[in-house]
Amino acid sequence: MPPNRCKNEPKCIGVFTSGGDSQGMNAAVRAVVRVGIASGAKVFLIKEGYQGMVDGGENIVEASWHCVSGIIQLGGTVIGSARCKDFRERKGRLKAAYNLVTRGITKICAIGGDGSLTGANLFREEWASLLEQLQENKQITKEQMEGNSNLNIVGLVGSIDNDFCGTDMTIGADSALHRIMDCVDAITTTAHSHQRAFVLEVMGRHCGYLALAAGLACGADWIFIPEQPPEDNWEAAMCSKLANARAWGSRMNVVIVSEGAIDRQCRPITSQQVKNVICERLDLDTRITVLGHVQRGGAPSAFDRLLATRMGAEAAISLLEATPETPACVISLDGNNAVRLPLMECVNKTRQVQAALDRGDFTEAADLRGRTFLGNKDIYDKLGAMTKHTKDNIPAHIKQLPYSIAILNVGAPAAGMNAAVRAATRSLIYNGFKVLAVQNGFEGFAKNEIREMQWDDVNFFVGAGGSILGTRRTLPSACGFDKIACVMKKRKIHGLIIIGGFEAFHAGTELADARENFPKFCVPMVVIPATLSNNVPGSDLSIGADTALNCVCESADRMKMSASATKRRVFVVETMGGYCGYLATLSGLASGADAAYIFEEKFTCSDLQKNIVHLRGKMSGSIQRGLVLRSENANRNYNADFLTRLYSEEGKGVFDCRLNILGHIQQGGSASPFDRNYATKCAAKASFWIKEMVTKYAKCGEVYCSDDDTACLLGMRGRNMKFQSLKKLKDEADFEYRLPKEQWWMSMRPLLRLMAQYTDAGALYKSSVIQKPDESQSETDTDSTI
């Protein structure tokens, strides 16, 4: 007979992973463990999923703080995952209940897909009767039954398919996209060399998210997804589309097939079938690549590490705050917000999708996936809608308008800028506009360095790094308002899309303010934030920041790996970002840093000494490596060299220290899948907004609009994409340090310190989760922007 547990003992949380593994699960486990322990609870690791819960014994072990060290960057799940037939029977669940109650575990964090979460909810519903049966069988005492009478469940969705209704992104989906895009980028080089067509099969038995998102991110010629099967005679339509791409001058074709792809009669469409059609009808050298389980493997992306850490922390807090009346819930992502939703409501909606697919109701299936899923497909279709036609490349079904829209990049280059230019160019041409590309920002604008863009000019923009158009930091005021106005008159420009960072925002405000004196500026203009610094007022996220975060995380992973092979070592890493600490803070949270010094949070010598003492204590034990991040303008006097020397001197006898300044590698390279898709969707939204404004204010071939809301910035705010007046946003900007006055990610700073085992006031993390959002308050459909 197991011993009775004292009612005053700490609350006990059990965490397990179940079903298919996905990258980021380890980060979620780490967050649950550390937030739980920091809150005074005991946390138990349940190994091998439900099977470990049923078998008990050494499969259920109490976690320590350091037992989850060094796992945030690992793929898979270190505590194992297994399918469990025993748990499907009441007899198996009875064993699981015994194993939990004898350890006092009455709070469970389940990490898995809809099947795993459904099992957890059933377990919760049966909990009282299971305990009664155990007590009747004399396996537990009446006191144990009464002291553990309620089971609380919180779910986190781990699935690379992103197939769970209720969350914009599941843990692992972004990492799977990284694996897919790595393969696509590699394949396109060889395909281009040999003028081949490639058919790529990606995972997604019941959900086409990976195929759709990958298609957007690489500009695939055709995609097959189960939620929207092709029309009958799709073979001819696909071949026509592929032939059209060749007519534009493309030397290759890419077709992406979801493994669950079907036709309108619910018959499977296979990769081999697609290849045969292309070979027979187009006589193209065609190859198949089935990516398979490589999509599940590898290190988690920065996005998945952050998502899993945030969701894991919120799950632990939710469990500790739960009462006997608290229903089972799932922690989800809605835009940039963490939300708490009824678990079974989400599970049932997810299952309705498959039911709709089974009966051939594809419209309902796509609707259940959400407006964002439909929006992504609509954007994909429009960006690939143009066909080669006459000498001016304008097909008959597009009404050519007498208006020209200029696109330019301003500020430092950011990964994803080219994807935004591509999407804007094609969306504007699709809507009948002439598109003018401005070279080298406003410097080029003032010199009339402008050329007209055709549909095929942006064929290879989507994955290219840097800024193909060229970009400069110079503001319009420095180039001359009169020169820019003169060029706008000469080139008959009726709208502007400005893509860039704080300088782009600042330039937009200057043009808006100058409208009174320069009427040519009275045209619709929209700024799209694109900077790795993520320092643009009016938007939680900027194009390019995700790519830079991944760069920092990958570099930190390599540094920590080198330290584990040598002696105890601390790395001081300097990141870019100007005066904005976003990159240092979020990459610190995603890479398991011990500290991150930023301009927004002042620090003194005594703070530095406190951090060193803390680090010495940690590294006197089993920890072999330390990581300290510093934003480049965190402090004029406490520079990176000073911090390295200080840590080296004060760490003598325990650790040595090395300095790494990452520099411009954070700006280079191909854009991440997140940045490619975010850029694509932002630019498409901006282009359709331009069309709306031109339609509203056009008169006799001219466009004149002076209202504040016609000079806007498009940014993500919480769960909405919003067009916001540049003039109004000026009040939210610190122009001296090029920062927003309020920054959402500052609320993540305490979580960073908590994860590093600090217990001071700076580590007091407050839950940011909100209850189920009111759909009526949503201004526009959005997801996490992937």
Side-chain angles (χ1 to χ4, degrees):
M1 183 71 65
N4 293 332
R5 293 184 57 86
C6 176
K7 293 183 179 180
N8 295 324
E9 286 191 17
K11 296 178 180 179
C12 296
I13 297 173
V15 58
F16 69 95
T17 54
S18 179
D21 65 310
S22 62
Q23 307 96 321
M25 281 184 165
N26 290 323
V29 170
R30 172 179 176 268
V32 172
V33 169
R34 293 195 166 177
V35 172
I37 292 175
S39 302
K42 287 186 177 182
V43 183
F44 289 82
L45 301 176
I46 304 173
K47 300 179 180 180
E48 311 304 337
Y50 284 116
Q51 191 65 57
M53 194 184 296
V54 172
D55 294 342
E58 295 182 355
N59 290 304
I60 305 177
V61 297
E62 185 175 352
S64 67
W65 189 275
H66 294 302
C67 78
V68 291
S69 293
I71 70 170
I72 191 172
Q73 73 273 17
L74 300 180
T77 165
V78 296
I79 60 175
S81 179
R83 312 284 182 184
C84 180
K85 294 182 179 179
D86 293 338
F87 195 79
R88 296 176 184 176
E89 305 295 331
R90 182 177 173 87
K91 182 179 178 181
R93 294 192 291 274
L94 191 67
K95 291 180 180 179
Y98 172 81
N99 290 326
L100 294 187
V101 78
T102 53
R103 292 168 174 82
I105 301 173
T106 57
K107 297 178 182 298
I108 294 291
C109 177
I111 307 172
D114 64 303
S116 301
L117 301 187
T118 300
N121 187 70
L122 175 62
F123 194 38
R124 175 182 176 274
E125 291 175 346
E126 291 184 346
W127 183 255
S129 65
L130 290 171
L131 264 57
E132 288 178 3
Q133 187 173 343
L134 288 172
Q135 199 269 328
E136 290 174 1
N137 295 342
K138 308 296 184 182
Q139 292 178 271
I140 64 173
T141 66
K142 184 178 181 180
E143 290 76 12
Q144 284 179 308
M145 181 183 71
E146 294 174 349
N148 299 280
S149 58
N150 295 288
L151 181 67
N152 294 116
I153 299 289
V154 172
L156 300 179
V157 190
S159 168
I160 68 165
D161 293 337
N162 199 32
D163 56 354
F164 192 81
C165 296
T167 186
D168 289 337
M169 285 295 286
T170 57
I171 297 169
D174 183 66
S175 299
L177 277 177
H178 274 259
R179 301 294 93 76
I180 294 170
M181 293 313 305
D182 287 344
C183 294
V184 171
D185 289 346
I187 282 172
T188 52
T189 58
T190 182
H192 189 269
S193 299
H194 295 277
Q195 301 191 57
R196 284 179 175 143
F198 268 86
V199 180
L200 277 76
E201 182 178 306
V202 301
M203 284 186 166
R205 283 180 299 166
H206 308 299
C207 179
Y209 171 81
L210 288 179
L212 177 55
L216 265 179
C218 73
D221 297 294
W222 195 272
I223 61 173
F224 291 92
I225 59 175
E227 294 88 346
Q228 199 170 59
E231 298 294 336
D232 293 340
N233 196 26
W234 59 265
E235 297 90 344
M238 179 187 70
C239 289
S240 175
K241 181 74 179 297
L242 269 56
N244 173 64
R246 298 279 175 158
W248 283 116
S250 177
R251 290 173 56 87
M252 61 161 191
N253 298 110
V254 174
V255 176
I256 299 180
V257 182
S258 176
E259 64 177 325
I262 53 177
D263 63 16
R264 289 278 164 180
Q265 285 71 46
C266 295
R267 296 173 300 202
I269 296 177
T270 66
S271 299
Q272 187 63 51
Q273 183 181 356
V274 174
K275 175 191 173 181
N276 292 342
V277 169
I278 296 172
C279 290
E280 293 168 5
R281 301 197 180 195
L282 297 178
D283 194 26
L284 292 176
D285 185 5
T286 307
R287 304 298 168 91
I288 296 174
T289 299
V290 179
L291 300 187
H293 283 74
V294 71
Q295 296 161 88
R296 289 192 188 277
S301 66
F303 182 96
D304 275 328
R305 299 185 200 191
L306 292 169
L307 175 65
T309 298
R310 288 179 66 186
M311 300 300 105
E314 297 295 351
I317 293 172
S318 296
L319 285 169
L320 294 173
E321 291 177 348
T323 66
E325 292 74 33
T326 302
C329 69
V330 61
I331 307 296
S332 301
L333 186 70
D334 185 10
N336 198 35
N337 293 335
V339 296
R340 189 181 300 163
L341 302 175
L343 189 149
M344 288 311 298
E345 180 179 309
C346 296
V347 168
N348 290 334
K349 188 174 181 181
T350 301
R351 291 181 171 178
Q352 289 173 26
V353 176
Q354 187 56 46
L357 290 175
D358 291 341
R359 63 175 180 271
D361 192 342
F362 306 114
T363 300
E364 182 180 352
D367 287 343
L368 287 167
R369 289 283 183 223
R371 291 170 297 172
T372 300
F373 187 92
L374 293 172
N376 287 348
K377 184 62 167 64
D378 182 57
I379 291 173
Y380 172 81
D381 289 340
K382 288 176 179 175
L383 292 182
M386 193 67 69
T387 55
K388 193 173 179 66
H389 187 61
T390 60
K391 62 180 181 179
D392 55 359
N393 295 333
I394 303 300
H397 71 276
I398 298 242
K399 180 181 178 182
Q400 184 68 9
L401 302 173
Y403 305 110
S404 300
I405 310 299
I407 303 171
L408 68 159
N409 295 336
V410 178
M417 275 184 166
N418 295 320
V421 171
R422 170 184 177 270
T425 297
R426 291 194 169 182
S427 297
L428 290 168
I429 292 176
Y430 179 85
N431 284 313
F433 294 104
K434 178 188 290 187
V435 179
L436 302 176
V438 180
Q439 304 289 321
N440 303 318
F442 282 103
E443 288 185 20
F445 208 139
K447 298 174 184 176
N448 195 20
E449 296 176 355
I450 300 174
R451 66 185 177 93
E452 184 176 352
M453 298 288 276
Q454 301 295 339
W455 187 269
D456 55 330
D457 288 335
V458 294
N459 273 349
F460 303 105
F461 272 44
V462 67
S467 168
I468 295 175
L469 298 186
T471 182
R472 298 288 188 276
R473 295 180 182 272
T474 314
L475 296 173
S477 56
C479 298
F481 289 131
D482 54 339
K483 294 179 181 179
I484 294 171
C486 181
V487 172
M488 290 185 69
K489 179 179 180 180
K490 181 179 180 180
R491 301 302 294 258
K492 297 180 180 179
I493 294 173
H494 303 95
L496 293 175
I497 294 180
I498 306 170
I499 304 166
F502 194 92
E503 292 86 356
F505 163 75
H506 195 172
T509 63
E510 285 192 348
L511 293 177
D513 289 341
R515 278 175 161 182
E516 186 175 344
N517 298 320
F518 297 92
K520 284 298 174 184
F521 297 161
C522 293
V523 296
M525 61 180 75
V526 57
V527 174
I528 300 175
T531 168
L532 64 83
S533 302
N534 197 35
N535 63 337
V536 181
S539 187
D540 293 348
L541 300 171
S542 298
I543 298 165
D546 182 72
T547 304
L549 279 174
N550 279 285
C551 175
V552 177
C553 286
E554 289 167 9
S555 300
D557 290 348
R558 295 186 180 190
M559 293 176 206
K560 291 189 291 184
M561 191 179 299
S562 72
S564 66
T566 59
K567 55 186 176 180
R568 301 180 193 279
R569 179 165 290 168
V570 172
F571 291 96
V572 174
V573 179
E574 182 172 280
T575 68
M576 298 179 81
Y579 288 98
C580 181
Y582 171 86
L583 195 54
T585 298
L586 272 293
S587 59
L589 189 59
S591 58
D594 297 282
Y597 299 112
I598 63 172
F599 173 79
E600 295 92 338
E601 192 173 272
K602 306 305 179 186
F603 56 95
T604 65
C605 269
S606 60
D607 295 320
L608 296 176
Q609 186 62 38
K610 180 179 178 180
N611 293 343
I612 293 170
V613 170
H614 180 78
L615 201 51
R616 280 182 63 98
K618 286 176 63 175
M619 298 189 69
S620 295
S622 60
I623 304 300
Q624 287 187 293
R625 55 97 195 114
L627 180 65
V628 175
L629 299 181
R630 179 190 181 274
S631 185
E632 60 183 336
N633 289 335
N635 187 289
R636 180 192 302 176
N637 297 311
Y638 304 147
N639 59 27
D641 183 64
F642 172 83
L643 290 182
T644 305
R645 291 174 182 271
L646 180 64
Y647 271 80
S648 294
E649 181 64 27
E650 297 298 320
K652 280 183 177 179
V654 178
F655 59 79
D656 65 8
C657 192
R658 294 289 186 273
L659 171 63
N660 288 269
I661 297 177
L662 299 182
H664 285 76
I665 66 167
Q666 297 160 88
Q667 279 185 343
S670 297
S672 68
F674 183 106
D675 279 329
R676 296 186 196 193
N677 287 343
Y678 187 35
T680 297
K681 292 195 283 187
C682 284
K685 282 181 181 289
S687 301
F688 283 94
W689 178 84
I690 288 280
K691 178 187 178 183
E692 181 183 335
M693 293 298 103
V694 169
T695 302
K696 181 177 180 180
Y697 293 102
K699 187 176 182 180
C700 301
E702 294 295 330
V703 178
Y704 182 91
C705 52
S706 58
D707 294 345
D708 288 351
D709 60 1
T710 60
C712 289
L713 178 140
L714 173 61
M716 173 176 276
R717 283 291 183 90
R719 58 190 298 259
N720 296 317
M721 293 293 290
K722 295 183 178 181
F723 290 94
Q724 304 151 86
S725 164
L726 286 166
K727 284 193 173 183
K728 293 179 181 178
L729 286 176
K730 286 174 66 176
D731 295 334
E732 299 182 22
D734 180 342
F735 285 93
E736 180 181 0
Y737 294 109
R738 298 163 57 240
L739 289 171
K741 292 179 180 177
E742 298 289 336
Q743 302 186 84
W744 69 270
W745 53 266
M746 286 295 290
S747 64
M748 296 290 104
R749 296 281 300 173
L751 184 57
L752 171 62
R753 288 185 66 82
L754 186 155
M755 289 293 170
Q757 208 175 1
Y758 284 91
T759 57
D760 56 13
L764 295 178
Y765 176 69
K766 295 182 179 179
S767 172
S768 60
V769 75
I770 60 176
Q771 297 299 324
K772 183 178 180 180
D774 181 358
E775 293 297 332
S776 65
Q777 298 301 310
S778 178
E779 297 187 12
T780 181
D781 60 298
T782 180
D783 60 356
S784 60
T785 70
I786 292 190

